[in-house]
Amino acid sequence: MAEEQLETTGLRTLEDISTLILKSHDLNDTLDNIVHLIAKRIGTDVCSIYLLEDDGTTLRLAATKGLSKSSVGKITMKISEGLAGLVIETNGMVTADNAPLHPRYKYFPETREERFNSFLGIPLMVRETPMGVIVIQTRESRTFRQEEVSTLTTIAYQISSIVINAKLLDSIRLKEAERERLEKELEKFKAIGAPAGGEPSPDQSKREKRSFLLMGIPVSGGFSRGRAAIIDRQTEHDGIGVAMVRPRPEERNRFNTALEKAKIETICMEKRVAELLSKEDAAIFHTHLMILEDRGFIAKIFDLIEEDYGAVRAVNEVVAHYVNAFSRMEDPYLRERSADMEDIRRRIIACLDGSGHARLKLREKRILVAHEILPSDMATLDHEKLLGIVTEKGDLNSHAAIMAKSLGIPAVVGVEGILQKLGLRDEVIVDGNSGRIYINPSVKIKGEYERLEIDFGVKRRELEELRDLPAVTRDGVEVALKANIGLVSDIRVALANGAEGVGLYRTEFPYMTRTAFPTRSELFGLYRKVLEGFAPHPVTIRTLDIGGDKTLPYFPMAKEDNPFMGWRSIRVSLEREDIFRVQLAGILLASPHGKARIMFPMVSSIAEIWQIKKILGEVREELQREGQPFDPDISFGIMVELPAAVQTAHILVNEVDYFSIGTNDLIQYTMAADRNNPKVRRYYDSCQPAVLHSIKRVVDVAVAAGKPVSVCGEMAADPVMAVLLMGMGIRELSLSAPSIPVVKQAIRSVDARTAREMAERVLSLVSAGAVRTYLAEAQSTLGL
């Protein structure tokens, strides 16, 4: 097979495997479909999958194309016997041109595999733990090529994700079964007894208007005033226990009809969000569609309908089990699935009774207030009528926060208790800059915010006028201001704020929205969009940074006592070269479509750089053999965020084209303080002398070597810190796009000499408190 044809076949196979994962929810059917597809595409006589039993010592044939079908589920072997067992024993690939002559060959008469000579076995692994083996066999003797092995290795990891997810769902279902009887009895008791909704709230129209000030987390800047549109889902469960139940056949038909409607609505939402923002932002609805097609999910609802629960109550019961199961999980991504299940529940119920969508249609401009904004809310609402967003639940990374920033809508999340204090006739002020929420504000407060709105408007116009101007000091020193991005939709926001390219493209987000590792062609398409979107400005693409607080749903990682100091970031990439190589190939293939730079995170030693260079060189050679074009001079850099990298910067600088100082992790690792842990939050401080001297050391090393050095992280988004960093010698900052205008204004308002004096003074101070006091005085004096 020609290399070009093999590459095309491999990509098509990987894409079709991904489709099978999305559309197949029964593990046995999925594995059977996969072995048939692989055998057909790669042109082999046999493709089989063996899974390791729970005892960890026995392999069982789970699916096959080419061997006797009757042997599936029956053929077993110890890992100490057979070629498949040898794959598990060695945790690596096993290949043989003439398998029957191999000393570990074991013959099973019922499989009739004596007809096949060549053997290729690849382990199914989750980190260091084997889960099974995928086996390829052919009648004629055959030496498998590197490209075939690479494709099959990637497929093997996709299969591993399927098995893990299947086991996860089985675990959830077992836990549900344990609680099912007790919870059913409780629901029956509730249905017979008191109303499910508890005591009614006071009539809001009759209560006296009172003023409140509530605080939350500001996630999208700006101010908005107006009346609220309230989504109070606490009342949506009321009356479920005593709802009228129709005959079972009618309830089944009602559910089937509602399910089909919900699927169509989900597809429409996916299309709408993809058109409004990007396909990556819309990917969550693809996950929703998978759940709506899940046979186990549907079967549970039908089982309850057969017990005369009725369709509405059955949906609520089943979804409640899933929500409870997911919300108890430690993994952040899996916990977030509880919100998706709630969104799906609401969509099905709305299709059953037609009550859901009218509530969310805004006739006039309003401030949306809810316990939580779900993906379907943002997909169906008229954004032109959204003045602001306030939620009781959520954080900086919630769906509401991400969408609000993309749309430029003032938003505050994490405002506890607002639904109990707010009525439809109340007036609300949303301060997306400080996180303040005023309910029925006084005349004085309203007057103050009218002034702030005017000032904010003037400030915004001033900043807009700076968009196309350079960030240059009064004495002519220029600083490049670039954006930190994670989604394709960030391109529009970054360019609107005057970004001169991308200093940090976080590539893990597209991985997190999928159900399997993206293929080389998928990554190429994604990176090409980003590069073309910012051309001719440079885009610094950071390779996959998972571990710590970022996990993938299809790539389970072992629990670690301290994941931030464990198996994460470049350590994962260097151990799992198959994943790393696919990403590097995607970046290189996209490089002719813009100005790409590759950046490697959490590097701690020169040995890691040598290994990275070796792998990158091999990927380049592979692309050259294929005749694929790529930029041969693509820049190679590392993030300096570990004390080890700071101390050996003078060694590392000779092996790279540039440094990028990641201040968020640098502070965390220098001060041994988890920035998400409130107990040690006070130690996570950018004003600590240890942090500032570390930055200065790295800058001095880079400047002496004639290499560029930049800073990315929250420090760069603070105007006074940005001036301080410029005084230390930094000439490139990468920050969140909305912060670019204010930082640019600060840089244009000072001269480089003043910034250098600030840096000298700060570096002479001995405590974080002294640094903070000095910077506050400097900020006031300079008007930053």
Side-chain angles (χ1 to χ4, degrees):
M1 184 183 296
E3 289 186 8
E4 295 80 2
Q5 183 183 354
L6 180 61
E7 173 65 19
T8 302
T9 299
L11 291 175
R12 285 176 54 211
T13 303
L14 290 172
E15 290 166 358
D16 288 345
I17 291 280
S18 298
T19 302
L20 287 176
I21 294 170
L22 292 175
K23 292 186 176 180
S24 303
H25 305 286
D26 178 86
L27 179 60
N28 294 328
D29 287 348
T30 303
L31 296 181
D32 189 57
N33 289 334
I34 287 173
V35 294
H36 278 75
L37 178 64
I38 295 172
K40 178 180 178 182
R41 288 287 170 77
I42 298 183
T44 62
D45 299 307
V46 176
C47 179
S48 305
I49 293 175
Y50 296 82
L51 295 183
L52 198 60
E53 301 277 77
D54 290 338
D55 62 8
T57 64
T58 307
L59 282 170
R60 185 179 297 275
L61 181 62
T64 186
K65 167 63 174 72
L67 301 183
S68 173
K69 279 289 184 185
S70 62
S71 61
V72 173
K74 298 177 182 177
I75 295 298
T76 62
M77 71 184 81
K78 294 296 182 181
I79 62 174
S80 59
E81 56 187 5
L83 290 172
L86 185 60
V87 174
I88 296 295
E89 274 194 326
T90 60
N91 275 356
M93 179 182 70
V94 172
T95 182
D97 293 339
N98 197 331
L101 297 181
H102 196 285
R104 279 291 295 265
Y105 179 75
K106 182 172 183 180
Y107 175 57
F108 294 94
E110 55 267 55
T111 65
R112 300 175 63 192
E113 64 176 333
E114 72 277 6
R115 300 167 295 165
F116 309 110
N117 286 305
S118 67
F119 177 97
L120 171 63
I122 295 175
L124 307 179
M125 302 283 291
V126 176
R127 287 204 55 194
E128 297 297 324
T129 305
M131 300 178 58
V133 181
I134 180 170
V135 171
I136 297 295
Q137 294 172 276
T138 61
R139 285 186 173 85
E140 76 283 0
S141 294
R142 175 175 171 181
T143 301
F144 292 93
R145 302 171 63 181
Q146 179 58 42
E147 292 84 356
E148 293 174 297
V149 173
S150 178
T151 297
L152 286 168
T153 300
T154 304
I155 290 171
Y157 290 119
Q158 287 184 306
I159 295 171
S160 299
S161 74
I162 299 172
V163 176
I164 282 292
N165 288 334
K167 289 184 176 181
L168 174 64
L169 289 173
D170 284 344
S171 174
I172 293 171
R173 288 162 183 161
L174 285 173
K175 290 177 182 177
E176 290 171 353
E178 293 173 3
R179 299 190 304 270
E180 192 173 32
R181 181 176 171 277
L182 181 61
E183 292 184 353
K184 283 182 181 177
E185 291 298 322
L186 181 61
E187 284 296 328
K188 288 178 182 178
F189 175 78
K190 287 182 179 178
I192 296 170
E199 295 183 7
S201 59
D203 186 348
Q204 292 178 334
S205 64
K206 294 181 181 179
R207 68 186 177 93
E208 181 181 345
K209 283 192 174 184
R210 298 169 58 194
S211 296
F212 296 99
L213 168 61
L214 301 175
M215 293 296 297
I217 304 168
V219 295
S220 183
F223 308 101
S224 61
R225 287 189 301 162
R227 298 191 187 281
I230 300 174
I231 305 176
D232 186 359
R233 296 197 177 96
Q234 303 300 319
T235 62
E236 289 189 12
H237 298 278
D238 291 0
I240 289 173
V242 294
M244 182 183 71
V245 177
R246 300 169 177 79
R248 294 175 190 171
E250 189 175 345
E251 291 288 347
R252 285 197 298 269
N253 289 335
R254 287 182 66 224
F255 173 68
N256 273 327
T257 301
L259 186 64
E260 291 306 311
K261 287 181 179 178
K263 289 180 185 178
I264 293 170
E265 285 183 358
T266 302
I267 293 170
C268 291
M269 289 176 186
E270 183 177 9
K271 182 179 179 182
R272 172 175 165 77
V273 173
E275 291 173 348
L276 179 68
L277 296 175
S278 73
K279 290 182 180 179
E280 283 65 39
D281 290 319
I284 186 63
F285 294 106
H286 209 77
T287 303
H288 289 195
L289 196 60
M290 286 175 58
I291 296 170
L292 290 169
E293 293 175 346
D294 182 73
R295 297 174 188 174
F297 174 70
I298 296 168
K300 285 179 177 296
I301 294 171
F302 277 131
D303 288 345
L304 292 184
I305 289 175
E306 289 302 308
E307 296 181 23
D308 292 323
Y309 272 54
V312 172
R313 186 180 171 198
V315 170
N316 280 290
E317 289 273 355
V318 171
V319 171
H321 287 313
Y322 279 89
V323 168
N324 291 335
F326 281 119
S327 62
R328 288 194 299 271
M329 292 181 178
E330 294 182 9
D331 185 276
Y333 183 90
L334 294 176
R335 280 203 305 272
E336 290 173 7
R337 299 284 69 76
S338 63
D340 293 321
M341 293 304 303
E342 172 58 28
D343 201 357
I344 289 164
R345 181 201 72 80
R346 190 161 58 91
R347 206 171 308 149
I348 297 175
I349 297 299
C351 292
L352 277 167
D353 59 22
S355 64
H357 295 294
R359 189 182 299 116
L360 297 182
K361 289 183 179 178
L362 302 178
R363 295 188 180 89
E364 57 187 4
K365 291 186 176 184
R366 293 261 179 166
I367 294 169
L368 191 65
V369 182
H371 176 68
E372 180 179 21
I373 302 292
L374 299 175
S376 59
D377 296 327
M378 296 303 291
T380 56
L381 282 164
D382 182 356
H383 301 144
E384 296 297 322
K385 293 180 179 177
L386 273 180
L387 293 174
I389 295 173
V390 183
T391 66
E392 290 188 326
K393 186 179 177 182
D395 56 28
L396 291 169
N397 297 311
S398 67
H399 188 81
I402 293 169
M403 294 286 281
K405 282 188 281 191
S406 294
L407 295 165
I409 298 171
V412 179
V413 301
V415 185
E416 297 181 6
I418 189 170
L419 290 175
Q420 282 69 46
K421 293 180 168 61
L422 186 66
L424 289 174
R425 297 185 179 182
D426 289 335
E427 186 179 5
V428 181
I429 290 178
V430 178
D431 185 340
N433 295 343
S434 70
R436 291 184 175 89
I437 302 296
Y438 293 91
I439 301 175
N440 297 320
S442 65
V443 173
K444 183 178 180 180
I445 293 293
K446 284 194 285 187
E448 182 65 16
Y449 269 92
E450 286 175 1
R451 183 186 66 78
L452 286 174
E453 282 187 78
I454 294 171
D455 292 346
F456 186 72
V458 171
K459 181 80 169 178
R460 185 165 51 191
R461 285 192 293 274
E462 289 177 356
L463 295 177
E464 286 174 355
E465 292 173 0
L466 298 177
R467 184 180 62 188
D468 300 323
L469 297 176
V472 58
T473 63
R474 292 185 298 192
D475 52 353
V477 175
E478 188 168 348
V479 178
L481 299 183
K482 299 178 180 178
N484 297 335
I485 70 167
L487 298 168
V488 172
S489 58
D490 292 337
I491 297 174
R492 176 173 53 84
V493 178
L495 293 176
N497 283 283
E500 301 171 75
V502 175
L504 172 61
Y505 174 24
R506 300 182 178 98
T507 58
E508 56 272 14
F509 291 114
Y511 283 79
M512 294 170 73
T513 59
R514 285 171 164 79
T515 56
F517 283 105
T519 64
R520 192 176 88 171
S521 60
E522 288 173 330
L523 292 175
F524 159 70
L526 180 62
Y527 300 155
R528 176 177 177 172
K529 285 181 183 177
V530 175
L531 288 168
E532 290 179 338
F534 282 99
H537 298 303
V539 174
T540 303
I541 304 174
R542 184 181 69 183
T543 58
L544 190 60
D545 182 15
I546 57 173
D549 59 346
K550 295 188 288 291
T551 59
L552 305 179
Y554 48 87
F555 186 57
M557 303 179 76
K559 185 177 180 180
E560 297 176 287
D561 291 337
N562 192 339
F564 285 97
M565 293 195 180
W567 197 60
R568 60 167 296 200
S569 201
I570 196 64
R571 298 170 180 177
V572 176
S573 295
L574 293 179
E575 189 171 326
R576 289 294 303 273
E577 286 189 26
D578 55 307
I579 302 169
F580 194 34
R581 288 172 182 270
V582 170
Q583 184 174 28
L584 292 176
I587 296 171
L588 289 173
L589 287 172
S591 62
H593 298 278
K595 188 176 181 181
R597 306 197 306 177
I598 308 180
M599 182 164 68
F600 302 93
M602 204 178 166
V603 170
S604 59
S605 70
I606 196 166
E608 288 174 331
I609 297 179
W610 289 339
Q611 189 177 354
I612 291 168
K613 283 188 169 182
K614 176 178 177 293
I615 295 169
L616 182 59
E618 290 171 354
V619 174
R620 282 172 164 155
E621 289 174 1
E622 183 180 336
L623 294 179
Q624 285 174 340
R625 289 195 301 270
E626 296 174 9
Q628 299 282 4
F630 61 89
D631 180 4
D633 300 318
I634 190 168
S635 293
F636 174 108
I638 63 168
M639 291 192 76
V640 178
E641 47 196 339
L642 300 181
V646 173
Q647 293 302 313
T648 59
H650 61 291
I651 299 172
L652 305 181
V653 74
N654 298 313
E655 296 288 334
V656 300
D657 296 321
Y658 64 90
F659 280 157
S660 180
I661 304 172
T663 57
N664 292 357
D665 271 337
L666 180 62
I667 299 169
Q668 176 171 253
Y669 288 120
T670 299
M671 302 307 300
D674 179 357
R675 61 181 179 267
N676 297 316
N677 184 345
K679 289 284 189 181
V680 295
R681 174 69 185 178
R682 63 193 177 94
Y683 295 100
Y684 181 85
D685 188 348
S686 60
C687 291
Q688 286 287 351
V691 173
L692 297 172
H693 282 277
S694 294
I695 293 172
K696 184 65 167 108
R697 170 177 167 74
V698 175
V699 172
D700 289 346
V701 168
V703 171
K707 303 288 179 73
V709 56
S710 64
V711 165
C712 61
E714 294 174 12
M715 275 184 73
D718 184 324
V720 69
M721 279 294 187
V723 172
L724 174 63
L725 291 169
M726 182 185 67
M728 289 185 180
I730 294 290
R731 294 296 178 264
E732 180 182 316
L733 299 172
S734 187
L735 54 159
S736 60
S739 301
I740 290 175
V742 292
V743 169
K744 181 183 290 187
Q745 188 177 55
I747 291 172
R748 290 178 61 88
S749 68
V750 301
D751 54 58
R753 181 180 56 81
T754 301
R756 285 193 297 270
E757 290 172 355
M758 281 179 60
E760 290 172 4
R761 175 61 176 152
V762 162
L763 292 170
S764 71
L765 299 174
V766 298
S767 72
V771 170
R772 194 173 296 105
T773 299
Y774 171 78
L775 289 179
E777 293 173 354
Q779 184 169 18
S780 176
T781 302
L782 297 173
L784 301 178

